[in-house]
Short mmCIF file of all heavy atoms in Angstrom, two decimals:
data_model
loop_
_atom_site.label_atom_id
_atom_site.label_comp_id
_atom_site.label_asym_id
_atom_site.label_seq_id
_atom_site.Cartn_x
_atom_site.Cartn_y
_atom_site.Cartn_z
N HIS A 8 6.96 91.26 96.31
CA HIS A 8 6.29 90.47 95.28
C HIS A 8 5.69 89.22 95.90
O HIS A 8 5.85 88.97 97.10
CB HIS A 8 7.28 90.08 94.17
CG HIS A 8 8.41 89.21 94.65
ND1 HIS A 8 9.51 89.70 95.31
CD2 HIS A 8 8.61 87.86 94.57
CE1 HIS A 8 10.34 88.72 95.61
NE2 HIS A 8 9.80 87.59 95.19
N GLU A 27 15.60 72.15 93.39
CA GLU A 27 16.60 72.72 92.49
C GLU A 27 17.73 73.35 93.28
O GLU A 27 17.58 73.66 94.47
CB GLU A 27 15.97 73.80 91.60
CG GLU A 27 14.97 73.29 90.60
CD GLU A 27 14.39 74.39 89.76
OE1 GLU A 27 14.44 75.58 90.17
OE2 GLU A 27 13.87 74.08 88.68
N MET A 28 18.84 73.55 92.59
CA MET A 28 19.95 74.33 93.13
C MET A 28 20.32 75.39 92.10
O MET A 28 20.46 75.10 90.91
CB MET A 28 21.17 73.45 93.43
CG MET A 28 22.38 74.23 93.94
SD MET A 28 23.77 73.16 94.38
CE MET A 28 23.22 72.53 95.98
N LYS A 29 20.43 76.63 92.57
CA LYS A 29 20.82 77.71 91.68
C LYS A 29 22.30 77.58 91.34
O LYS A 29 23.14 77.41 92.22
CB LYS A 29 20.55 79.07 92.33
CG LYS A 29 19.08 79.31 92.66
CD LYS A 29 18.20 79.27 91.41
CE LYS A 29 16.76 79.63 91.73
NZ LYS A 29 15.86 79.52 90.56
N ASP A 30 22.63 77.68 90.05
CA ASP A 30 24.02 77.50 89.65
C ASP A 30 24.81 78.79 89.80
O ASP A 30 24.29 79.83 90.20
CB ASP A 30 24.11 76.95 88.22
CG ASP A 30 23.48 77.89 87.20
OD1 ASP A 30 23.69 79.11 87.31
OD2 ASP A 30 22.79 77.40 86.28
N ARG A 31 26.11 78.72 89.48
CA ARG A 31 27.01 79.85 89.69
C ARG A 31 26.75 81.01 88.72
O ARG A 31 27.32 82.09 88.89
CB ARG A 31 28.46 79.38 89.57
CG ARG A 31 28.85 78.35 90.64
CD ARG A 31 28.75 78.93 92.03
NE ARG A 31 28.98 77.92 93.09
CZ ARG A 31 28.91 78.18 94.38
NH1 ARG A 31 28.66 79.40 94.81
NH2 ARG A 31 29.11 77.22 95.27
N GLY A 32 25.90 80.78 87.73
CA GLY A 32 25.58 81.84 86.79
C GLY A 32 24.36 82.65 87.18
O GLY A 32 23.97 83.57 86.47
N HIS A 33 23.75 82.33 88.32
CA HIS A 33 22.52 83.03 88.73
C HIS A 33 22.81 84.52 88.95
O HIS A 33 23.85 84.88 89.52
CB HIS A 33 21.95 82.41 90.01
CG HIS A 33 20.55 82.83 90.29
ND1 HIS A 33 20.24 84.02 90.93
CD2 HIS A 33 19.36 82.25 90.01
CE1 HIS A 33 18.93 84.14 91.03
NE2 HIS A 33 18.38 83.07 90.48
N PRO A 34 21.90 85.40 88.50
CA PRO A 34 22.15 86.84 88.62
C PRO A 34 22.19 87.38 90.05
O PRO A 34 22.70 88.47 90.27
CB PRO A 34 21.00 87.47 87.83
CG PRO A 34 19.92 86.43 87.81
CD PRO A 34 20.65 85.12 87.76
N MET A 35 21.63 86.64 91.01
CA MET A 35 21.68 87.09 92.41
C MET A 35 22.77 86.32 93.16
O MET A 35 22.66 85.10 93.34
CB MET A 35 20.34 86.86 93.10
CG MET A 35 19.25 87.81 92.68
SD MET A 35 17.76 87.61 93.69
CE MET A 35 18.35 88.21 95.31
N PRO A 36 23.84 86.97 93.58
CA PRO A 36 24.93 86.28 94.27
C PRO A 36 24.47 85.45 95.46
O PRO A 36 24.99 84.36 95.71
CB PRO A 36 25.86 87.41 94.71
CG PRO A 36 25.64 88.47 93.67
CD PRO A 36 24.16 88.40 93.36
N MET A 37 23.47 85.93 96.23
CA MET A 37 23.05 85.20 97.42
C MET A 37 22.36 83.88 97.09
O MET A 37 22.20 83.03 97.96
CB MET A 37 22.10 86.05 98.27
CG MET A 37 20.75 86.31 97.66
SD MET A 37 19.52 86.94 98.85
CE MET A 37 19.15 85.46 99.79
N ALA A 38 21.98 83.69 95.82
CA ALA A 38 21.29 82.47 95.42
C ALA A 38 22.25 81.39 94.93
O ALA A 38 21.89 80.21 94.90
CB ALA A 38 20.27 82.78 94.32
N ARG A 39 23.43 81.76 94.55
CA ARG A 39 24.35 80.83 93.90
C ARG A 39 24.75 79.68 94.83
O ARG A 39 25.17 79.89 95.96
CB ARG A 39 25.59 81.58 93.42
CG ARG A 39 25.28 82.59 92.33
CD ARG A 39 26.44 83.53 92.04
NE ARG A 39 26.01 84.57 91.11
CZ ARG A 39 26.69 85.70 90.90
NH1 ARG A 39 27.82 85.93 91.55
NH2 ARG A 39 26.22 86.60 90.04
N GLY A 40 24.57 78.47 94.32
CA GLY A 40 24.90 77.28 95.10
C GLY A 40 23.89 76.95 96.17
O GLY A 40 24.13 76.07 97.01
N ARG A 41 22.73 77.61 96.16
CA ARG A 41 21.71 77.40 97.17
C ARG A 41 20.53 76.59 96.60
O ARG A 41 20.20 76.70 95.42
CB ARG A 41 21.19 78.74 97.70
CG ARG A 41 22.28 79.61 98.35
CD ARG A 41 22.69 79.08 99.71
NE ARG A 41 23.83 79.78 100.28
CZ ARG A 41 23.74 80.89 101.01
NH1 ARG A 41 22.55 81.45 101.21
NH2 ARG A 41 24.81 81.44 101.52
N LEU A 42 19.90 75.82 97.47
CA LEU A 42 18.71 75.07 97.09
C LEU A 42 17.53 76.02 96.94
O LEU A 42 17.45 77.05 97.63
CB LEU A 42 18.38 74.03 98.15
CG LEU A 42 19.43 72.94 98.39
CD1 LEU A 42 19.05 72.10 99.61
CD2 LEU A 42 19.57 72.05 97.16
N CYS A 43 16.61 75.67 96.05
CA CYS A 43 15.44 76.51 95.83
C CYS A 43 14.25 75.65 95.44
O CYS A 43 14.38 74.73 94.62
CB CYS A 43 15.72 77.53 94.72
SG CYS A 43 14.45 78.79 94.53
N CYS A 44 13.10 75.92 96.03
CA CYS A 44 11.89 75.18 95.68
C CYS A 44 11.48 75.52 94.25
O CYS A 44 11.66 76.66 93.79
CB CYS A 44 10.75 75.54 96.63
SG CYS A 44 11.05 75.10 98.34
N GLY A 46 9.22 76.58 91.27
CA GLY A 46 8.05 77.44 91.14
C GLY A 46 8.44 78.75 90.50
O GLY A 46 9.44 78.83 89.78
N GLY A 47 7.67 79.80 90.74
CA GLY A 47 7.95 81.07 90.11
C GLY A 47 7.28 82.23 90.80
O GLY A 47 6.69 82.09 91.87
N ASN A 48 7.37 83.39 90.16
CA ASN A 48 6.86 84.63 90.72
C ASN A 48 5.69 85.17 89.91
O ASN A 48 5.60 84.96 88.70
CB ASN A 48 7.97 85.68 90.75
CG ASN A 48 9.16 85.24 91.59
OD1 ASN A 48 9.02 84.98 92.78
ND2 ASN A 48 10.32 85.13 90.96
N GLU A 71 9.34 75.40 83.41
CA GLU A 71 10.68 75.16 83.91
C GLU A 71 11.13 73.72 83.79
O GLU A 71 12.30 73.45 83.45
CB GLU A 71 10.73 75.60 85.38
CG GLU A 71 12.09 75.71 85.97
CD GLU A 71 12.03 76.41 87.32
OE1 GLU A 71 11.37 77.45 87.43
OE2 GLU A 71 12.65 75.88 88.26
N ARG A 79 19.19 81.64 78.98
CA ARG A 79 18.43 82.18 80.11
C ARG A 79 18.54 83.71 80.18
O ARG A 79 19.50 84.30 79.69
CB ARG A 79 18.95 81.57 81.42
CG ARG A 79 18.63 80.09 81.55
CD ARG A 79 19.20 79.53 82.83
NE ARG A 79 20.66 79.43 82.78
CZ ARG A 79 21.44 79.13 83.81
NH1 ARG A 79 20.89 78.91 84.99
NH2 ARG A 79 22.74 79.06 83.68
N SER A 80 17.53 84.31 80.80
CA SER A 80 17.49 85.75 80.96
C SER A 80 17.14 86.09 82.39
O SER A 80 16.39 85.37 83.06
CB SER A 80 16.45 86.36 80.01
OG SER A 80 16.23 87.73 80.32
N ALA A 81 17.66 87.22 82.86
CA ALA A 81 17.35 87.69 84.22
C ALA A 81 16.20 88.69 84.20
O ALA A 81 16.01 89.43 85.18
CB ALA A 81 18.59 88.33 84.84
N THR A 82 15.42 88.70 83.13
CA THR A 82 14.33 89.68 83.01
C THR A 82 13.39 89.64 84.21
O THR A 82 13.00 90.68 84.74
CB THR A 82 13.52 89.43 81.72
OG1 THR A 82 14.40 89.53 80.60
CG2 THR A 82 12.41 90.45 81.58
N GLY A 83 13.01 88.44 84.63
CA GLY A 83 12.09 88.34 85.76
C GLY A 83 12.67 88.96 87.01
O GLY A 83 11.96 89.66 87.76
N ARG A 84 13.95 88.73 87.28
CA ARG A 84 14.59 89.31 88.46
C ARG A 84 14.70 90.82 88.32
O ARG A 84 14.59 91.55 89.30
CB ARG A 84 15.98 88.69 88.66
CG ARG A 84 15.94 87.21 88.98
CD ARG A 84 15.43 86.96 90.38
NE ARG A 84 15.11 85.56 90.60
CZ ARG A 84 14.58 85.08 91.70
NH1 ARG A 84 14.29 85.88 92.70
NH2 ARG A 84 14.30 83.80 91.82
N GLU A 85 14.92 91.30 87.08
CA GLU A 85 14.97 92.75 86.88
C GLU A 85 13.61 93.37 87.19
O GLU A 85 13.52 94.42 87.84
CB GLU A 85 15.37 93.07 85.43
CG GLU A 85 15.50 94.57 85.19
CD GLU A 85 15.64 94.92 83.72
OE1 GLU A 85 15.01 94.25 82.89
OE2 GLU A 85 16.35 95.89 83.43
N LEU A 87 11.54 92.38 89.28
CA LEU A 87 11.37 92.36 90.73
C LEU A 87 12.30 93.35 91.42
O LEU A 87 12.23 93.52 92.63
CB LEU A 87 11.64 90.95 91.27
CG LEU A 87 10.64 89.86 90.87
CD1 LEU A 87 11.11 88.51 91.39
CD2 LEU A 87 9.25 90.18 91.37
N GLY A 88 13.20 93.98 90.65
CA GLY A 88 14.15 94.91 91.23
C GLY A 88 15.29 94.22 91.94
O GLY A 88 15.96 94.82 92.78
N LEU A 89 15.56 92.94 91.58
CA LEU A 89 16.56 92.15 92.30
C LEU A 89 17.81 91.86 91.50
O LEU A 89 18.76 91.30 92.03
CB LEU A 89 15.93 90.83 92.77
CG LEU A 89 14.69 90.94 93.64
CD1 LEU A 89 14.18 89.56 94.00
CD2 LEU A 89 14.97 91.76 94.89
N ALA A 90 17.82 92.20 90.22
CA ALA A 90 18.99 91.92 89.38
C ALA A 90 18.89 92.74 88.11
O ALA A 90 17.82 93.21 87.73
CB ALA A 90 19.07 90.42 89.04
N LYS A 91 20.02 92.92 87.45
CA LYS A 91 20.04 93.57 86.15
C LYS A 91 19.68 92.55 85.08
O LYS A 91 20.02 91.38 85.18
CB LYS A 91 21.43 94.14 85.87
CG LYS A 91 21.85 95.26 86.80
CD LYS A 91 23.25 95.77 86.45
CE LYS A 91 23.66 96.90 87.38
NZ LYS A 91 25.03 97.39 87.06
N ASP A 92 18.98 93.01 84.05
CA ASP A 92 18.61 92.09 82.97
C ASP A 92 19.86 91.73 82.18
O ASP A 92 20.64 92.60 81.79
CB ASP A 92 17.57 92.74 82.05
CG ASP A 92 17.01 91.75 81.03
OD1 ASP A 92 17.19 90.54 81.24
OD2 ASP A 92 16.42 92.20 80.05
N GLU A 93 20.06 90.45 81.99
CA GLU A 93 21.19 89.97 81.20
C GLU A 93 20.88 88.55 80.75
O GLU A 93 19.95 87.91 81.25
CB GLU A 93 22.47 89.97 82.04
CG GLU A 93 22.38 89.13 83.31
CD GLU A 93 23.63 89.21 84.16
OE1 GLU A 93 24.63 89.77 83.68
OE2 GLU A 93 23.61 88.71 85.29
N HIS A 94 21.60 88.10 79.77
CA HIS A 94 21.42 86.75 79.27
C HIS A 94 22.62 85.91 79.68
O HIS A 94 23.76 86.40 79.71
CB HIS A 94 21.26 86.75 77.75
CG HIS A 94 19.97 87.37 77.29
ND1 HIS A 94 19.79 88.73 77.19
CD2 HIS A 94 18.78 86.81 76.95
CE1 HIS A 94 18.56 88.99 76.80
NE2 HIS A 94 17.93 87.85 76.64
N PHE A 95 22.37 84.66 80.00
CA PHE A 95 23.46 83.79 80.39
C PHE A 95 23.20 82.37 79.90
O PHE A 95 22.13 82.06 79.38
CB PHE A 95 23.72 83.84 81.90
CG PHE A 95 22.52 83.75 82.79
CD1 PHE A 95 22.31 82.63 83.56
CD2 PHE A 95 21.60 84.79 82.87
CE1 PHE A 95 21.21 82.53 84.40
CE2 PHE A 95 20.50 84.70 83.72
CZ PHE A 95 20.30 83.56 84.48
N ALA A 96 24.20 81.53 80.05
CA ALA A 96 24.22 80.22 79.39
C ALA A 96 23.04 79.34 79.79
O ALA A 96 22.56 79.41 80.92
CB ALA A 96 25.53 79.50 79.72
N PRO A 97 22.58 78.50 78.86
CA PRO A 97 21.51 77.54 79.19
C PRO A 97 21.98 76.57 80.27
O PRO A 97 23.18 76.36 80.46
CB PRO A 97 21.29 76.81 77.86
CG PRO A 97 21.84 77.70 76.81
CD PRO A 97 22.99 78.41 77.45
N THR A 98 21.04 75.98 80.97
CA THR A 98 21.39 74.97 81.95
C THR A 98 21.84 73.70 81.24
O THR A 98 21.41 73.43 80.11
CB THR A 98 20.20 74.63 82.86
OG1 THR A 98 19.10 74.20 82.06
CG2 THR A 98 19.78 75.85 83.67
N PRO A 99 22.69 72.90 81.87
CA PRO A 99 23.18 71.69 81.21
C PRO A 99 22.15 70.56 81.20
O PRO A 99 21.23 70.54 82.01
CB PRO A 99 24.40 71.30 82.06
CG PRO A 99 24.09 71.85 83.42
CD PRO A 99 23.34 73.13 83.17
N ILE A 134 14.28 89.25 103.98
CA ILE A 134 15.71 89.07 103.76
C ILE A 134 16.38 90.41 104.08
O ILE A 134 16.10 91.42 103.44
CB ILE A 134 16.00 88.67 102.30
CG1 ILE A 134 15.30 87.34 101.99
CG2 ILE A 134 17.50 88.55 102.05
CD1 ILE A 134 15.36 86.94 100.53
N LEU A 139 22.26 90.25 101.77
CA LEU A 139 22.69 90.65 100.44
C LEU A 139 24.14 91.12 100.46
O LEU A 139 24.92 90.80 99.55
CB LEU A 139 21.78 91.76 99.91
CG LEU A 139 20.28 91.45 99.87
CD1 LEU A 139 19.50 92.67 99.37
CD2 LEU A 139 19.98 90.25 98.98
N ALA A 142 26.71 88.22 100.63
CA ALA A 142 26.89 87.48 99.38
C ALA A 142 27.57 88.32 98.31
O ALA A 142 28.18 87.78 97.38
CB ALA A 142 25.54 87.00 98.87
N ASP A 143 27.46 89.65 98.43
CA ASP A 143 27.99 90.54 97.40
C ASP A 143 28.52 91.81 98.06
O ASP A 143 27.74 92.70 98.42
CB ASP A 143 26.87 90.89 96.40
CG ASP A 143 27.33 91.84 95.31
OD1 ASP A 143 28.55 92.09 95.20
OD2 ASP A 143 26.46 92.33 94.56
N ARG A 148 21.61 97.12 97.08
CA ARG A 148 20.18 96.95 97.27
C ARG A 148 19.83 96.80 98.75
O ARG A 148 20.60 96.24 99.54
CB ARG A 148 19.67 95.72 96.50
CG ARG A 148 19.83 95.85 95.00
CD ARG A 148 19.27 94.64 94.26
NE ARG A 148 19.39 94.82 92.81
CZ ARG A 148 20.47 94.49 92.10
NH1 ARG A 148 21.51 93.95 92.72
NH2 ARG A 148 20.51 94.70 90.81
N PHE A 151 14.49 93.13 101.66
CA PHE A 151 13.11 93.16 101.19
C PHE A 151 12.33 91.99 101.78
O PHE A 151 12.90 91.04 102.32
CB PHE A 151 13.06 93.09 99.66
CG PHE A 151 13.64 91.83 99.07
CD1 PHE A 151 12.84 90.74 98.78
CD2 PHE A 151 15.01 91.72 98.83
CE1 PHE A 151 13.37 89.57 98.26
CE2 PHE A 151 15.56 90.56 98.30
CZ PHE A 151 14.73 89.49 98.01
N SER A 181 15.59 70.88 84.68
CA SER A 181 15.19 72.28 84.75
C SER A 181 15.91 73.11 83.70
O SER A 181 17.11 72.95 83.48
CB SER A 181 15.50 72.85 86.13
OG SER A 181 15.29 74.24 86.16
N ASN A 182 15.17 74.01 83.05
CA ASN A 182 15.81 74.91 82.10
C ASN A 182 16.17 76.26 82.72
O ASN A 182 16.56 77.19 82.00
CB ASN A 182 14.93 75.11 80.85
CG ASN A 182 13.58 75.70 81.16
OD1 ASN A 182 13.39 76.36 82.17
ND2 ASN A 182 12.62 75.47 80.28
N SER A 183 16.03 76.37 84.05
CA SER A 183 16.41 77.62 84.70
C SER A 183 17.42 77.41 85.83
O SER A 183 18.12 78.34 86.21
CB SER A 183 15.18 78.35 85.25
OG SER A 183 14.62 77.63 86.34
N SER A 184 17.49 76.19 86.37
CA SER A 184 18.40 75.88 87.47
C SER A 184 18.95 74.47 87.27
O SER A 184 18.96 73.96 86.16
CB SER A 184 17.67 76.01 88.81
OG SER A 184 17.20 77.31 89.01
N MET A 185 19.37 73.86 88.37
CA MET A 185 19.84 72.48 88.35
C MET A 185 18.92 71.65 89.23
O MET A 185 18.92 71.80 90.46
CB MET A 185 21.27 72.40 88.88
CG MET A 185 22.29 73.15 88.05
SD MET A 185 22.52 72.42 86.42
CE MET A 185 23.18 70.81 86.88
N TRP A 201 19.60 76.96 101.81
CA TRP A 201 18.52 77.30 100.90
C TRP A 201 18.59 78.76 100.51
O TRP A 201 19.11 79.60 101.26
CB TRP A 201 17.16 77.03 101.57
CG TRP A 201 16.84 75.58 101.73
CD1 TRP A 201 17.24 74.77 102.75
CD2 TRP A 201 16.07 74.76 100.85
NE1 TRP A 201 16.76 73.50 102.56
CE2 TRP A 201 16.03 73.48 101.40
CE3 TRP A 201 15.40 75.02 99.64
CZ2 TRP A 201 15.36 72.43 100.79
CZ3 TRP A 201 14.72 73.98 99.04
CH2 TRP A 201 14.71 72.69 99.61
N PHE A 202 18.02 79.06 99.36
CA PHE A 202 17.86 80.44 98.91
C PHE A 202 16.49 80.93 99.38
O PHE A 202 15.48 80.70 98.74
CB PHE A 202 17.97 80.49 97.38
CG PHE A 202 17.58 81.80 96.76
CD1 PHE A 202 17.92 83.00 97.34
CD2 PHE A 202 16.85 81.82 95.58
CE1 PHE A 202 17.55 84.20 96.77
CE2 PHE A 202 16.48 83.01 94.99
CZ PHE A 202 16.83 84.21 95.59
N ALA A 203 16.46 81.54 100.57
CA ALA A 203 15.27 82.19 101.13
C ALA A 203 14.16 81.24 101.60
O ALA A 203 13.16 81.70 102.13
CB ALA A 203 14.67 83.19 100.13
N HIS A 204 14.33 79.93 101.43
CA HIS A 204 13.27 79.00 101.82
C HIS A 204 13.59 78.20 103.08
O HIS A 204 12.82 77.32 103.46
CB HIS A 204 13.01 77.99 100.68
CG HIS A 204 12.59 78.63 99.39
ND1 HIS A 204 11.40 79.30 99.24
CD2 HIS A 204 13.22 78.68 98.19
CE1 HIS A 204 11.30 79.74 97.98
NE2 HIS A 204 12.39 79.39 97.34
#
Side-chain angles (χ1 to χ4, degrees):
H8 63 281
E27 292 180 339
M28 177 177 283
K29 299 300 185 183
D30 61 41
R31 297 298 174 182
H33 195 277
M35 287 187 68
M37 69 165 286
R39 295 168 187 164
R41 300 286 173 86
L42 298 172
C43 189
C44 297
N48 300 300
E71 193 169 314
R79 291 178 288 172
S80 170
T82 301
R84 295 288 167 184
E85 182 191 36
L87 293 175
L89 303 179
K91 295 180 180 179
D92 189 16
E93 58 183 350
H94 291 81
F95 46 111
T98 57
I134 300 172
L139 304 178
D143 179 9
R148 297 182 178 87
F151 61 94
S181 172
N182 60 23
S183 68
S184 299
M185 298 293 296
W201 289 84
F202 169 40
H204 300 294

